[in-house]
Amino acid sequence: MNPIQLFDPVSSTFTYIIAGPDDKEAVIIDPVDQHCERDLAHVERLGLRLAYVLETHVHADHVTSAGRLHALTGAKTAVPSGCGVPTAELQLRDGDTIRFGRIETISVIHTPGHTAGSMCYVWRGSVFTGDTLLINGCGRTDFQGGSAEALYDSVTGKLFGLPDETRVWPGHDYKGQSVSTIGWEKRNNARLAGRSREDFVQLMGQLNLPKPKLIDVAVPANRNLGLPHSV
Ligand code: FE2
């Protein structure tokens, strides 16, 4: 089964539901709090049950529903170990494998750069890149331990080493695009294709992006899986 791609128009965030063919267990990646019921309806309609809730990183632009999904379904919460989310059940490290369903495996790749802890997840010829690699772009690198040097090394050294036909499913898109491939991004990505590390670092240093509106709410909430902190 192809990944099911769901969209949050407020933050332009993609959420994914993945399951093997004729399988009953599913994994959800980067769910958004306002869409918890929508996402559960998809899972139910497809006759699936959630095994894991995965985060690619601690998001600054929306609050996750990971904690609520765990409470409602019993799905295990899994986060990158470098993201500072102590309440998650699974702290993922580079090279880990997540198993679900009958034979499904997700390979965990640590791809620092957008944030220090960011991870990408490889499953059945697809890679879920969070904000590390976007379609014809990449995530910003100016907060949460971000580093343009690290992002360049993660993308060119790790993600571009995947087979060219690997499908790239990004964490965001702002132009109505849905999916790309590693080969296309290697040849065409406006920020990274054919650019030296020095050029890339200079480019990222000149972006002058505004601070995300929700960062002061979203980051603390997401460090507790989107649940209110107990007092
Ligand atoms: Fe992000």
Side-chain angles (χ1 to χ4, degrees), residues 1 3 16-21 23-29 48-54 75-76 90 97-107 121-124 128:
M1 193 161 84
Y16 298 95
I17 298 170
I18 60 174
D23 227 334
K24 293 287 177 208
E25 279 196 348
V27 169
I28 191 164
I29 302 172
L48 300 168
R49 64 176 173 275
L50 284 181
Y52 288 100
V53 187
L54 282 187
K76 285 199 170 70
L90 228 70
T97 299
I98 300 164
R99 295 178 198 284
F100 68 103
R102 288 174 301 147
I103 54 163
E104 302 307 306
T105 58
I106 296 170
S107 304
Y121 301 117
V122 177
W123 173 75
R124 282 186 179 264
F128 301 89

Side-chain angles (χ1 to χ4, degrees), residues 176-204:
Q177 304 164 119
S178 161
V179 61
S180 184
T181 63
I182 289 293
W184 193 92
E185 297 304 327
K186 258 202 252 185
R187 292 189 301 275
N188 300 291
N189 188 291
R191 291 211 180 142
L192 288 143
R195 201 182 284 273
S196 72
R197 193 172 190 258
E198 292 67 33
D199 277 2
F200 177 75
V201 171
Q202 195 183 19
L203 174 80
M204 295 305 284

Side-chain angles (χ1 to χ4, degrees), residues 2-182:
N2 281 328
I4 294 161
Q5 185 181 53
L6 300 158
F7 191 60
D8 170 44
V10 175
S11 63
S12 298
T13 298
F14 285 127
T15 296
Y16 298 95
I17 298 170
I18 60 174
D22 305 318
D23 227 334
K24 293 287 177 208
E25 279 196 348
V27 169
I28 191 164
I29 302 172
D30 288 339
V32 174
D33 62 350
Q34 288 95 337
H35 301 301
C36 190
E37 281 73 27
R38 174 201 68 181
D39 297 347
L40 285 173
H42 277 290
V43 169
E44 190 190 332
R45 210 177 286 129
L46 293 163
L48 300 168
R49 64 176 173 275
L50 284 181
Y52 288 100
V53 187
L54 282 187
E55 298 287 347
T56 54
H57 62 293
V58 161
H59 306 277
D61 57 358
H62 68 267
V63 175
T64 177
S65 64
R68 269 175 74 201
L69 286 173
H70 166 71
L72 291 168
T73 69
K76 285 199 170 70
T77 48
V79 301
S81 55
C83 280
V85 188
T87 46
E89 291 166 286
L90 228 70
Q91 299 288 331
L92 300 169
R93 295 185 184 283
D94 186 56
D96 280 355
T97 299
I98 300 164
R99 295 178 198 284
F100 68 103
R102 288 174 301 147
I103 54 163
E104 302 307 306
T105 58
I106 296 170
S107 304
V108 175
I109 312 176
H110 183 211
T111 51
H114 171 59
T115 72
S118 291
M119 298 282 197
C120 294
Y121 301 117
V122 177
W123 173 75
R124 282 186 179 264
S126 285
V127 60
F128 301 89
T129 53
D131 297 355
T132 302
L133 179 63
L134 305 178
I135 298 173
N136 205 18
C138 66
R140 61 196 291 176
T141 55
D142 56 338
F143 52 70
Q144 290 178 274
S147 154
E149 289 88 348
L151 190 130
Y152 186 88
D153 294 344
S154 291
V155 173
T156 61
K158 294 184 174 178
L159 298 182
F160 284 178
L162 295 168
D164 275 5
E165 62 274 21
T166 307
R167 290 181 182 190
V168 173
W169 300 93
H172 289 287
D173 193 80
Y174 305 94
K175 295 179 179 169
Q177 304 164 119
S178 161
V179 61
S180 184
T181 63
I182 289 293

